Structures are given as C-alpha cells and as structure tokens.
C-alpha cells in the first residue's frame, strides 16, 4: 500500500518519525507521498522525503496564500528548479481553493492558477485541496486541461460530483472520512464508482477518523480505509489495495 497524501514532515511526527516508518513497513505500507504546503515547510519536507525515500510534491496550500505576491510563486518555481533532478519530486501541490478561508480568496485564485500553469508546463500531476469551491475548481480544470491530471485530495462528495472529476481525468483521494457513519453520501458514491478512480490517503496528522481514540492520524489507518471501501464495493481488501496501489503508481509515475 501507499498513502497517497500524508504530511509526515509536520512536527507532530518529530518525536517518533523513524518508529512510525518502521511500523508502516511492518504493516505493508510501502511509502507515503508527502505534499508541500508553504515555503516555510519545504526545506524540512524535502529533507524528510529524502531521508525516508518518500515521493513528494511541492505547492502552495490555499491556507498559506498571501495577497497577490509574485514572490511567493517565484519561491515555488525556484525550489522546484533546485529539485528538478530529484526523481522523488512527483507532483505540484497541495494547492487549490478553500472557501472557508474567505479572507484570502482572491489570493487563492491567483496562486492556484499560477500552479495550474506550472503543472501544465512541467507535465506533472497536481494534488488538489477543494473545500466549498467545486464549481470554480471544475471550471479552472476544464480551462487548463492538465495533461497528467491529478487527484482531488480528501474527496467527500457524491456520485455526480465524483463523475465530473473522473470525466476530466482526475482520481479521488479517499481517506478517513469514509469511516464516519454519517458520511452516507460519500459511502454511496464509493460503492458505485470505478476502482480505477480511487487512491487511498490519510492526510496525516490531520483527519483522524471520527471513531479513533487517537487525535494524531497516521498512515496505519489505511488498512481500515481499505476494509471499508471493500465492504462498500463488495470486493476483497486485497483487490482494493492492489487497485489503489496501481492507480497511485500510474498517476505519479512511481
């Protein structure tokens, strides 16, 4: 298995990062893709990714978008340029749109379009954060037509929305929300869509399942996510794991 979205560079893992990677290996979790969020995080993120041989992405998360600052985007381009020969740099992101953060909405739009242009120019897939902004997101994805597509991280919508993204060539990142008994719409969606469109993820250390005794999420939750998807699809956990693994390998050219 591969956790397709885990912030294992975050300080929540500083005390036991090596132990966690040992546990992941023992649990059959081969690696995790570490997304980028801001210039303040990139150096440590890259160092952790290299230390543990993890694929990673570089991007500006919508929460970290400043007022229309070309400097911020130039920092991203410069960091990507320095890492251009690193085969573990596999995507642009995490980036996107989040309408719950209204104070910097215009800056989000500007920085996101720049990152879409960059993903298209570099022919890399993109890791997308979308909250309450699916109409705007779909419009922009149709406009830019990224050759490598990408993944809608933390997908929580219904069948109709899922199919709109799938038709555009995007995968759906399914995480701990699927374990929430109240996620009826998401469960119905996952029960019916093609396994070719699903990646599994945790968003560690965030998004711990609702019924978890732990406040810190980790990639070890992947087994529960796979089991729930298998139950919904009426297929085996082995089949779900294999599909998600191959989808991740294909999307990120691993």
């Amino acid at each position: 298995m591969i956790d397709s979205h885990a912030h294992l560079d975050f300080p929540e893992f500083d005390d036991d990062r090596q132990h966690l990677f040992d546990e992941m290996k023992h649990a059959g979790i081969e690696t995790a893709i570490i997304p980028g969020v801001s210039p303040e995080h990139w150096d440590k993120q890259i160092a952790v990714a290299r230390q543990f041989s993890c694929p990673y992405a570089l991007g500006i998360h919508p929460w970290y978008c400043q007022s229309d600052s070309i400097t911020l985007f130039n920092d991203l381009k410069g960091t990507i340029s320095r890492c251009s020969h690193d085969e573990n740099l596999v995507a642009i992101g995490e980036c996107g749109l989040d309408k719950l953060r209204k104070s910097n909405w215009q800056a989000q739009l500007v920085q996101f379009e720049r990152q879409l242009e960059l993903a298209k120019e570099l022919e890399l897939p993109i890791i997308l954060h979308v909250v309450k902004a699916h109409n705007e997101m779909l419009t922009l994805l149709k406009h830019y037509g990224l050759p490598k597509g990408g993944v809608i991280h933390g997908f929580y919508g219904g069948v109709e929305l899922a199919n709109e993204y799938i038709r555009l060539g995007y995968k759906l990142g399914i995480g701990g929300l699927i374990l929430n008994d109240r996620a009826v719409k998401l469960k119905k969606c996952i029960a019916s869509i093609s396994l070719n469109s699903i990646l599994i993820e945790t968003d560690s250390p965030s998004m711990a399942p609702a019924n978890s005794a732990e406040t810190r999420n980790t990639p070890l939750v992947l087994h529960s996510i796979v089991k729930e998807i298998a139950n919904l699809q009426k297929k085996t956990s082995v089949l779900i794991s294999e599909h998600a693994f191959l989808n991740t390998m294909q999307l990120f050219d691993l």
Side-chain angles (χ1 to χ4, degrees):
M1 285 189 286
I2 297 175
D3 188 336
S4 66
H5 194 112
H7 298 278
L8 298 182
D9 57 309
F10 278 17
E12 286 88 342
F13 299 107
D14 285 352
D15 292 339
D16 65 344
R17 189 173 285 112
Q18 180 65 62
H19 179 65
L20 175 59
F21 272 93
D22 291 343
E23 286 190 299
M24 288 164 57
K25 184 177 181 181
H26 183 72
I29 300 166
E30 182 173 313
T31 191
I33 296 173
I34 305 178
V37 294
S38 77
E40 292 75 22
H41 292 78
W42 293 333
D43 285 347
K44 181 181 176 184
Q45 175 204 353
I46 293 166
V48 169
R50 289 175 175 169
Q51 179 182 355
F52 294 98
S53 300
C54 290
Y56 65 96
L58 289 171
I60 304 163
H61 190 288
W63 295 0
Y64 295 90
C65 289
Q66 302 164 2
S67 58
D68 186 12
S69 171
I70 192 65
T71 302
L72 182 62
F73 183 64
N74 285 340
D75 286 345
L76 175 60
K77 289 200 298 182
T79 304
I80 288 173
S81 179
R82 290 195 299 275
C83 299
S84 60
H85 298 296
D86 188 345
E87 63 182 12
N88 282 331
L89 174 58
V90 297
I92 300 298
E94 170 182 1
C95 60
L97 299 172
D98 190 331
K99 272 193 175 175
L100 292 183
R101 300 276 174 148
K102 297 178 182 178
S103 61
N104 70 340
W105 175 248
Q106 290 304 317
Q108 288 184 44
L109 287 167
V110 171
Q111 298 292 4
F112 180 47
E113 287 207 59
R114 287 171 175 164
Q115 290 174 91
L116 285 169
E117 291 170 353
L118 188 59
K120 188 167 187 175
E121 175 189 340
L122 299 177
E123 295 189 352
L124 286 173
I126 196 163
I127 297 172
L128 297 168
H129 173 110
V130 197
V131 177
K132 306 293 185 183
H134 292 288
N135 288 337
E136 292 89 346
M137 177 62 67
L138 286 163
T139 297
L140 287 168
L141 294 182
K142 289 172 186 174
H143 175 74
Y144 281 92
L146 302 190
K148 296 291 186 178
V151 55
I152 311 303
H153 149 61
F155 182 78
Y156 58 93
V159 177
E160 184 177 341
L161 180 61
N163 284 330
E164 287 196 69
Y165 283 119
I166 291 168
R167 279 193 292 268
L168 292 175
Y170 287 79
K171 309 290 187 188
L172 309 177
I174 307 303
L177 287 172
I178 198 71
L179 302 175
N180 190 331
D181 290 339
R182 293 178 294 177
V184 177
K185 182 170 65 172
L186 177 59
K187 289 176 185 287
K188 183 178 179 181
C189 171
I190 299 307
S192 64
I193 66 172
S194 168
L195 287 180
N196 294 331
S197 301
I198 292 176
L199 305 186
I200 52 174
E201 60 166 66
T202 63
D203 200 20
S204 300
S206 301
M207 301 294 289
N211 59 352
S212 174
E214 301 290 333
T215 56
R216 184 187 75 165
N217 201 11
T218 78
L220 300 175
V221 173
L222 285 183
H223 285 283
S224 297
I225 294 169
V226 166
K227 183 178 179 181
E228 179 62 16
I229 295 172
N231 288 338
L232 292 168
Q233 288 258 342
K234 296 181 170 53
K235 296 181 172 69
T236 67
S237 292
V238 171
L239 183 64
I240 302 300
S241 293
E242 288 177 347
H243 268 273
F245 181 82
L246 291 173
N247 292 343
T248 305
M249 295 288 286
Q250 180 185 41
L251 177 60
F252 296 107
D253 197 21
L254 300 178

